[in-house]
Amino acid sequence: MEDPMKPVRTALVGCGKVGTIHAAALRSLPEAEFVAVCDTSPERANTFAGKYGVKPFTDLSTMLRVAAVEAIIIGTPHPLHAEPAIRAAQAGVHVLIEKPMAASLADCDAMLDATRKAGITLGIISQRRFYEPVQRMKAAIDAGKIGKPSLGVFLQYSWREPSYYASDPWRGKWDTEGGGVLVNQSPHQLDILLWLLGPAAEVNGCWANVNHPTVEVDDTAVATIRFKNGGLGSIATSVSQKPGIYTKVHVHGSNGASVGVETDRGATFIAGVSTIAEPALNDIWTIPGEEHLLAQFQAEDRAAFAKVDATTHYHAFQIGDFLRAIQVGQPPLVTGHDGRAVVELFSAIYLSSSDRRAVRL
Ligand SMILES: NC(=O)c1ccc[n+]([C@@H]2O[C@H](COP(=O)([O-])OP(=O)(O)OC[C@H]3O[C@@H](n4cnc5c(N)ncnc54)[C@H](O)[C@@H]3O)[C@@H](O)[C@H]2O)c1
């Protein structure tokens, strides 16, 4: 356990699009002392360092040592999360990793092994868990208000321009991104589904590339899930609707009551490029005796949204949760095991699609 009153010396690895969100969040947090950035591109590292008044590095080990870093946040492309995470863990540095935890289960297991051996704190970004409507759903389910969560539905009708995939050489390719909509845009809601319904037991799925002929990977996927608690799940996730419409997660319970959230209106935002223009809102709330609360929840969330920059606010919430976890020696809200469960789920959808069979998890 660290000193709970002492800010954690924190550095960023990856000075790209999502790095701008982390940097803004770190500057706003009393739990953080933002000390350094690292990017393999010296120009990017120098630009960030100048903008945020921290030290630039192009080599991770040098940064950890010279800047006496206690925690890093990794915002590199997905297949490049594991290497810096393992190196940091071996140096005794705590690690918070952008979603998805990795593009492969092997990378997840190597990170879990290294962080367990080192005894450091590992967290995975899933900032939509911190949305007030999602927190409300979790509290209601934990309080037993919908009985057993028995049907979980995740719908994502989003859009990505061809220029989005062309914006960085790693995007849209199996080797350098590890997948498409399942790997990049869906992990937030896959994590919420697993958080609300518990672990998945079996998956059937398939994917397609509907209207992005310049990329190799999936822009659309569907799946059904059987959860370990006996509940069922249904997923339709896509970045092929132009314009994007919405992204929702609904959970229906064994007593007939339902709770739901629209996590995103229109296309999901692109970090460092677009901002969150509309609040996440509960869109279904049929718990007996609480039906009237839906309008109240929506009014509260619209009012709160007007007072914050939602694009950085929830990242700051999660980074704060992670740094406090280090300070008090407790696990963060979203752990490495939670991150692995998401990677296991999307990997099972790809496997089910290629083998045309149900995959047990
Ligand atoms: N939570 C969210 O809402 C959210 C939003 C956007 C992106 N992300 C995630 O953040 C990650 C990065 O996405 P992005 O859009 O910022 O990508 P990006 O390409 O804009 O930035 C990645 C940066 O990492 C740097 N980099 C690559 N390899 C490196 C290494 N070994 N060491 C140090 N730096 C290295 C690159 O030079 C680049 O500056 C992805 O995993 C993505 O899924 C999360």
Side-chain angles (χ1 to χ4, degrees):
M1 185 165 103
E2 312 280 341
D3 177 354
M5 300 309 289
K6 194 168 133 297
V8 180
R9 291 177 65 83
T10 307
L12 286 187
V13 179
C15 301
K17 296 180 187 65
V18 84
T20 60
I21 296 181
H22 294 142
L26 280 174
R27 287 218 298 194
S28 73
L29 285 168
E31 296 88 351
E33 185 183 352
F34 185 17
V35 291
V37 293
C38 176
D39 200 294
T40 42
S41 152
E43 295 78 28
R44 289 188 177 204
N46 285 331
T47 303
F48 261 57
K51 188 166 173 196
Y52 299 104
V54 298
K55 291 202 177 77
F57 294 87
T58 52
D59 177 68
L60 176 67
S61 300
T62 308
M63 176 179 80
L64 299 180
R65 193 181 64 251
V66 172
V69 172
E70 296 171 298
I72 59 166
I73 305 179
I74 299 178
T76 54
H78 325 139
L80 303 176
H81 289 174
E83 197 270 336
I86 292 167
R87 262 210 283 161
Q90 287 169 345
V93 169
H94 306 285
V95 180
L96 179 60
I97 307 175
E98 261 300 347
K99 51 52 60 177
M101 180 175 179
S104 74
L105 272 179
D107 276 3
C108 293
D109 289 337
M111 286 187 271
L112 284 167
D113 190 45
T115 53
R116 185 182 42 77
K117 279 185 185 140
I120 56 103
T121 301
L122 172 65
I124 312 299
I125 293 279
S126 184
Q127 79 273 12
R128 284 170 177 80
R129 265 205 210 184
F130 291 78
Y131 286 3
E132 288 80 0
V134 176
Q135 292 274 333
R136 257 180 225 122
M137 290 166 71
K138 174 69 173 162
I141 291 169
D142 284 354
K145 292 182 178 178
I146 69 167
K148 185 178 84 174
S150 298
L151 172 64
V153 179
F154 158 33
L155 294 173
Q156 175 155 256
Y157 302 129
S158 189
W159 171 247
R160 285 292 181 264
E161 292 284 351
S163 58
Y164 163 82
Y165 293 99
S167 66
D168 297 292
W170 60 272
R171 294 187 195 277
K173 302 185 181 93
W174 291 108
D175 278 357
T176 49
E177 182 159 8
V181 66
L182 279 170
V183 167
N184 195 321
Q185 284 79 26
S186 310
H188 299 275
Q189 287 77 18
L190 296 180
D191 175 65
I192 291 170
L193 260 194
L194 293 169
W195 195 40
L196 299 182
L197 281 111
E202 190 177 88
V203 174
N204 270 286
C206 46
W207 65 268
N209 182 319
V210 172
N211 57 14
H212 290 87
T214 59
V215 307
E216 301 170 355
V217 295
D218 46 302
D219 67 8
T220 301
V222 295
T224 57
I225 304 174
R226 202 161 49 72
F227 289 92
K228 287 202 171 129
N229 77 351
L232 303 177
S234 169
I235 294 171
T237 179
S238 181
V239 287
S240 57
Q241 282 71 48
K242 186 179 184 180
I245 307 167
Y246 59 65
T247 303
K248 299 186 179 212
V249 177
H250 293 159
V251 182
H252 309 272
S254 56
N255 67 358
S258 303
V259 291
V261 60
E262 180 178 280
T263 57
D264 301 76
R265 175 126 288 260
T268 54
F269 85 107
I270 302 174
V273 176
S274 59
T275 53
I276 298 174
E278 301 204 46
L281 296 173
N282 289 117
D283 63 338
I284 303 180
W285 201 270
T286 66
I287 292 168
E290 294 192 2
E291 298 86 346
H292 65 287
L293 293 178
L294 183 62
Q296 183 186 315
F297 291 156
Q298 291 183 353
E300 279 172 24
D301 292 343
R302 285 188 204 284
F305 180 80
K307 294 189 191 126
V308 299
D309 173 2
T311 313
T312 53
H313 181 71
Y314 296 95
H315 263 89
F317 241 66
Q318 181 165 6
I319 297 168
D321 170 78
F322 173 75
L323 296 176
R324 283 189 299 280
I326 294 171
Q327 289 171 327
V328 302
Q330 296 287 327
L333 179 66
V334 190
T335 65
H337 290 282
D338 295 335
R340 185 192 188 279
V342 169
V343 177
E344 187 181 26
L345 182 51
F346 69 59
S347 302
I349 297 173
Y350 286 125
L351 184 61
S352 172
S353 187
S354 60
D355 287 7
R356 293 172 190 258
R357 65 174 173 90
V359 173
R360 292 189 66 80
L361 285 94

